[in-house]
Amino acid sequence: MNTVLIIDDSKTSRSMLRNILTENDYEVIAEAENGEEGFNKYCELQPDFVTLDITMPVMDGIQTLEKIKEYDSGAKVVMVTAAGQKNKMLEAIKLGAAEFVTKPFETSQIISILESIK
Amino acid sequence: MLNRIFGNYLVDKKIITIEQLNALLPVPKEIKAEVETIAVLNKVMTANLVVDILKDIDKTKTHFGEVAIESGYLTDEKLEQILGYQTNTFMKFIQMLLNNNLLELTQINALLDDFQQIKGFTDPQMSALIHDDLEQCVNIFVAFKSPHLKELTITLIQTLRRLIDKDVYLDKAYSTRSFRLDRYAYQALVGDLHIKFYLSAPDDGLLAIANYFTGDTYSSVNDDALDNVGEFINCINGLFATNLSYEDVSVDMNSPDYSMEGAFINNDALFVIPLYANGYSFSAVFEVY
């Protein structure tokens, strides 16, 4: 079973993602509510995938992506964005984000994205 | 939008009860408005004439429209137009009132006229409401001069309809210099525009959103419910930002936040939209800074 680390400051978003992923045979091995905690959990647990919210206080998704990619250039990180964050998405692409999912979440979109980058 | 506004009017008039109204809404997809109902609503035929025709036909064997054409009351073109309205949400709602014997065909137009007069809607406004022209409907209630605030309002209503309550409706929006937020969630838009977008309600009013957005259920508004509302605002702002990007207006969003404590906000540019969904009332507040 593929493992996923969810990094998102919103409990609601984490809960929605967790439900979608566990119902579709992914194991959510950890959750983090900010970028720093997320980076530490990535180093500790080495998950197959990371879902990473772009908009977070303290260390945002772009900074966190940069740190994760520095640590592990092969990390498969799916950025979570609200629609409309074009500039941030471009920045994330440059830093090596594997894919994007947009809010509000649609199960089929999330699962097909994860399948495509396995 | 009109279903709930007109439904509330019928409740106020004691023609139906709130329980009956709640049982009818949202109108199911599979319902279709009957030709005779639409003919009366569009004032193509009088209700008395329709009732007379219906007395003489067996509707299981004969279509009302055919008889009306044969008798010269409708033309083929008119019937075609009427058939196009069969899926109109308001006409379907009226049909459900008739099907459930809560209204008589002969009452409809008098009630609609009275409703229009009480609410002060012009004929074009009534038409916009009946035909659910969202932009025009928003114009009835929201007189903001800023096209961006109007666009944000339309995105808000569209998203509420899609994810929260198909029958969401609003009251006249207003501008003010100070506003008392109750429990609220908000998100700031930054970049070419600076707008703080709040959703606020006293007590458990924001359950209107929190209990419908993600499938989670809260018995009262708490931190988690407000976090949920913040994510809902994030979705709206994201869609709004996408629309702005087509006009080369670039905005980004800060992380949503919330408070159980409430706050007073003071600003020369505060815009308040009273909203109603899922039996709750709440306010959207746009603070331009």
Side-chain angles (χ1 to χ4, degrees):
Chain A
M1 192 181 278
N2 288 110
T3 56
V4 184
L5 164 65
I6 298 172
I7 308 174
D8 199 311
D9 62 318
S10 163
K11 191 174 175 184
T12 301
S13 283
R14 294 199 303 272
S15 160
M16 288 171 80
L17 278 169
R18 185 175 58 246
N19 290 341
I20 289 171
L21 292 169
T22 51
E23 281 167 14
N24 286 277
D25 298 328
Y26 287 85
E27 183 191 355
V28 177
I29 50 168
E31 295 178 16
E33 58 184 64
N34 62 58
E36 194 176 341
E37 185 190 351
F39 173 69
N40 292 337
K41 285 196 172 161
Y42 184 85
C43 298
E44 179 194 342
L45 300 165
Q46 307 279 319
D48 297 317
F49 302 106
V50 179
T51 67
L52 176 55
D53 186 24
I54 282 190
T55 309
M56 290 188 293
V58 190
M59 187 195 286
D60 72 12
I62 298 294
Q63 294 166 304
T64 311
L65 172 68
E66 199 169 5
K67 281 192 80 170
I68 290 175
K69 286 302 235 183
E70 268 173 22
Y71 173 79
D72 174 6
S73 60
K76 292 175 179 175
V77 182
V78 176
M79 305 304 288
V80 175
T81 76
Q85 294 185 294
K86 200 168 68 181
N87 293 340
K88 291 265 172 81
M89 284 164 80
L90 289 172
E91 220 177 322
I93 287 168
K94 283 183 197 158
L95 290 169
E99 264 293 355
F100 295 87
V101 293
T102 50
K103 297 174 184 177
F105 297 128
E106 282 182 24
T107 301
S108 58
Q109 186 205 18
I110 293 169
I111 299 307
S112 71
I113 280 172
L114 289 177
E115 293 294 316
S116 74
I117 60 169
K118 260 184 183 174
Chain B
M1 186 178 299
L2 183 57
N3 288 354
R4 190 54 85 167
I5 302 175
F6 184 64
N8 286 343
Y9 158 84
L10 295 177
V11 172
D12 288 344
K13 287 268 170 189
K14 302 199 186 321
I15 292 168
I16 61 174
T17 64
I18 187 68
E19 290 77 19
Q20 286 169 326
L21 177 61
N22 289 341
L24 294 180
L25 295 178
V27 173
K29 247 186 179 176
E30 59 276 13
I31 294 284
K32 275 191 175 177
E34 304 277 354
V35 170
E36 57 270 29
T37 307
I38 302 166
V40 172
L41 273 168
N42 284 354
K43 299 186 178 170
V44 175
M45 297 173 72
T46 65
N48 288 334
L49 178 58
V50 167
V51 170
D52 280 347
I53 294 173
L54 286 172
K55 269 184 206 158
D56 296 333
I57 63 171
D58 177 354
K59 278 196 74 186
T60 59
K61 292 177 184 159
T62 318
H63 289 294
F64 174 86
E66 287 167 13
V67 176
I69 287 175
E70 280 166 18
S71 311
Y73 297 120
L74 286 181
T75 61
D76 285 334
E77 292 75 26
K78 212 51 167 174
L79 180 61
E80 189 81 10
Q81 195 185 4
I82 285 174
L83 293 174
Y85 290 139
Q86 286 195 297
T87 53
N88 173 288
T89 311
F90 181 66
M91 302 203 190
K92 284 163 56 167
F93 173 57
I94 296 292
Q95 190 63 55
M96 288 187 69
L97 288 163
L98 296 169
N99 293 351
N100 287 279
N101 299 316
L102 298 170
L103 271 190
E104 299 281 338
L105 204 52
T106 48
Q107 291 178 280
I108 294 173
N109 283 335
L111 285 169
L112 271 173
D113 288 345
D114 184 55
F115 167 77
Q116 182 178 349
Q117 199 181 351
I118 287 173
K119 294 288 180 184
F121 295 137
T122 63
D123 287 343
Q125 287 175 338
M126 272 304 283
S127 175
L129 287 163
I130 289 173
H131 296 289
D132 203 26
D133 179 336
L134 184 59
E135 197 171 335
Q136 292 305 318
C137 288
V138 166
N139 282 337
I140 297 169
F141 299 98
V142 177
F144 302 155
K145 284 180 189 153
S146 157
H148 289 139
L149 290 185
K150 200 161 273 186
E151 196 173 326
L152 180 54
T153 308
I154 290 171
T155 308
L156 163 66
I157 303 292
Q158 278 172 333
T159 314
L160 282 166
R161 281 181 170 193
R162 187 159 65 94
L163 300 175
I164 304 298
D165 179 2
K166 281 180 186 168
D167 294 302
V168 63
Y169 64 100
L170 62 164
D171 254 344
K172 289 271 184 200
Y174 58 94
S175 59
T176 181
R177 290 184 173 184
S178 67
F179 187 82
R180 191 198 186 295
L181 295 165
D182 296 289
R183 293 170 176 177
Y184 68 93
Y186 84 103
Q187 185 177 38
L189 288 162
V190 294
D192 292 343
L193 297 178
H194 287 82
I195 302 171
K196 284 182 186 170
F197 173 178
Y198 304 85
L199 287 175
S200 165
D203 307 320
D204 291 328
L206 288 178
L207 291 183
I209 292 164
N211 275 353
Y212 296 85
F213 177 42
T214 59
D216 291 328
T217 306
Y218 307 91
S219 55
S220 62
V221 167
N222 55 20
D223 285 4
D224 291 348
L226 291 178
D227 178 73
N228 188 310
V229 176
E231 282 303 303
F232 177 70
I233 295 173
N234 193 21
C235 289
I236 296 165
N237 282 338
L239 295 167
F240 177 57
T242 301
N243 293 339
L244 289 177
S245 70
Y246 300 133
E247 304 163 22
D248 278 334
V249 178
S250 174
V251 293
D252 198 7
M253 288 152 275
N254 289 344
S255 205
D257 207 348
Y258 59 81
S259 169
M260 286 287 286
E261 303 303 322
F264 267 107
I265 45 174
N266 295 293
N267 188 311
D268 283 344
L270 290 173
F271 302 92
V272 183
I273 308 170
L275 290 155
Y276 305 87
N278 296 317
Y280 295 97
S281 62
F282 55 100
S283 297
V285 182
F286 302 148
E287 179 182 5
V288 180
Y289 66 102

